Amino acid sequence: MWNGHHIVALVVAAGRGTRAGEGMPKQYRPLGGVPVLRRTVLAFLRHAAVDAVRVVIHADDRALYETAVGDLPLAPPVIGGASRCESVANGLAASPEAVGGLILIHDAARPFVSSSVIDRCLQALTADAEVAGVVPALAVADSVRRGGAWLGEDVDRAGLLRIQTPQCFRHDALAKAFAQFASVDAHHDFTDDASVALAAGYRVMTVAGDEMNFKLTDAADFDRAEAMLAERLVSRTGLGFDVHAFAEGEALWLAGVQIPHARGLRGHSDADVALHALTDALLGAIGEGDIGSHFPPSDPEWRGAASSLFVEHARSLVEARGGRIDHVDLSIICEQPKIGPHRDAMRQSVAALLRLPLSRVSIKATTTEQLGFTGRGEGIAAQAVATVRIPEEQ
Ligand code: MG
């Protein structure tokens, strides 16, 4: 609610745009590990004034929709039409809860809409009963000319505007405008909802848009968006520690490398003490418990398992959160075997498991000066630190 007005957000996601690559419509493509549509929908769900959010989808995209936002408290989706205007018309027809209130129509491919842009639109729309619609708009900073391969005539950029979304309307005005231009053919000439309202004789106001509220169209837009999100990630550090005892007749695995040695380490899995410490460090950085909670030693499935599985699982959990691993640092603590000759192979092994360049993987070794259980050659200890960056709001 905003000043007593009921507010419905209609997110238009029925487009087929696959120019951005990856073979699926761009609004379902992951961005920083999160589908674009999910980011867009959350911007409205999290806005205090918005009462309901509904998505207009393509009939072929039900499964993509369910995967992206099926768990969120949205009004049931509506199937769109052949054009944007037809999709919006379907959305209006299927949103009886919007009658008498305000409706905000937003492109699914604009995930960075800010609450202040939404606020500005709502403020302007409700301040004056004569205003039927409000759109966010930006001035044109570049020189503008007609042309293709060759420059043509100059266009005066003064007074030109780039129109963004959400395009916000009094529902009754927009519904009347769409009813007036109800035929599909008539809709084809309208590139946005404000055009329909203007054609019907309503007055549409502009408020300041936001450069960050850009529309994801091609691969370069996705690159820019990924770079923006990377700047918004926050750093987290996780710590891991593990010990395994030497035993006769076991193979010795350290950091995913089998090392020729008289004795190996005893354990439920392959007892790779270094990868266990690393797994705990990664899990620690994202607050996801420890290796034992994910791979209980009581579960026979993990008997003799390669510990690379545990590291890959932890890495996938970081990625599922939209996070990225910046750096890992491992210390292996033992008198024997000597780690130095195997260090490069271990680094390569860990880098491959984490899909990181070698420069972001450190492997160190130390003895304990013949003190304690490692000094007496009873076992090997390992410590790990992982630095990851994850999105703040998750
Ligand atoms: Mg262990």
Side-chain angles (χ1 to χ4, degrees), residues 242-244 276:
D242 196 29
V243 171
H244 281 264
H276 292 187

Side-chain angles (χ1 to χ4, degrees), residues 241-244 266-269 271-277 280 291 307 310:
F241 176 72
D242 196 29
V243 171
H244 281 264
R266 186 191 310 135
H268 187 65
S269 63
D272 189 327
V273 66
L275 292 191
H276 292 187
D280 264 357
I291 192 168
S307 297
F310 309 154

Side-chain angles (χ1 to χ4, degrees), residues 60-364:
D60 296 344
D61 293 345
R62 279 197 176 277
L64 287 168
Y65 172 86
E66 284 303 324
T67 304
V69 296
D71 59 319
L72 299 177
L74 298 168
V78 188
I79 302 300
S83 67
R84 180 197 158 85
C85 279
E86 212 181 324
S87 293
V88 171
N90 291 359
L92 280 173
S95 302
E97 71 274 25
V99 173
L102 309 179
I103 188 148
L104 319 184
I105 300 167
H106 188 72
D107 297 330
R110 294 184 193 268
F112 300 119
V113 57
S114 65
S115 59
S116 48
V117 165
I118 298 171
D119 288 349
R120 283 200 286 277
C121 290
L122 293 175
Q123 188 69 48
L125 188 55
T126 54
D128 182 348
E130 295 299 307
V131 177
V134 175
V135 296
L138 290 169
V140 178
D142 300 316
S143 293
V144 181
R145 274 183 184 272
R146 296 192 190 284
W150 298 92
L151 279 183
E153 68 181 282
D154 188 25
V155 177
D156 183 6
R157 72 180 173 212
L160 288 184
L161 292 174
R162 293 178 288 145
I163 311 301
Q164 301 184 322
T165 71
Q167 303 202 346
C168 309
F169 302 90
R170 296 178 187 276
H171 178 274
D172 55 351
L174 193 67
K176 275 185 205 157
F178 269 83
Q180 197 175 336
F181 296 94
S183 89
V184 172
D185 283 346
H187 286 156
H188 278 307
D189 289 326
F190 299 116
T191 57
D192 65 1
D193 320 298
S195 307
V196 182
L198 288 170
Y202 289 104
R203 300 190 71 194
V204 179
M205 211 179 146
T206 66
V207 293
D210 178 1
E211 290 289 356
M212 291 298 107
N213 183 26
F214 63 95
K215 188 173 183 178
L216 293 164
T217 304
D218 54 27
D221 297 326
F222 273 83
D223 290 345
R224 178 183 171 199
E226 291 284 2
M228 269 175 56
L229 288 171
E231 284 175 14
R232 292 185 190 176
L233 297 178
V234 292
S235 201
R236 295 277 184 270
T237 303
L239 181 71
F241 176 72
D242 196 29
V243 171
H244 281 264
F246 277 122
E248 302 293 338
E250 299 276 358
L252 178 59
W253 287 90
L254 282 175
V257 176
Q258 189 173 3
I259 293 178
H261 194 59
R263 294 180 299 171
L265 295 174
R266 186 191 310 135
H268 187 65
S269 63
D270 66 7
D272 189 327
V273 66
L275 292 191
H276 292 187
L278 178 61
T279 303
D280 264 357
L282 290 167
L283 294 173
I286 55 171
E288 283 276 0
D290 59 27
I291 192 168
S293 56
H294 290 266
F295 304 98
S298 55
D299 187 340
E301 188 179 348
W302 310 118
R303 187 181 302 283
S307 297
S308 55
L309 284 177
F310 309 154
V311 175
E312 283 171 337
H313 177 71
R315 186 202 72 216
S316 72
L317 290 177
V318 174
E319 286 170 357
R321 296 274 292 270
R324 49 199 72 190
I325 300 166
D326 272 342
H327 186 261
V328 296
D329 185 16
L330 263 165
S331 285
I332 299 170
I333 304 159
C334 60
E335 301 290 331
Q336 291 291 333
K338 293 294 172 212
I339 300 302
H342 308 287
R343 186 201 307 263
D344 287 348
M346 291 180 181
R347 259 184 111 189
Q348 276 166 16
S349 156
V350 170
L353 284 174
L354 299 179
R355 299 179 189 164
L356 291 178
L358 276 183
S359 59
R360 285 153 66 179
V361 175
S362 161
I363 306 259
K364 310 194 304 297

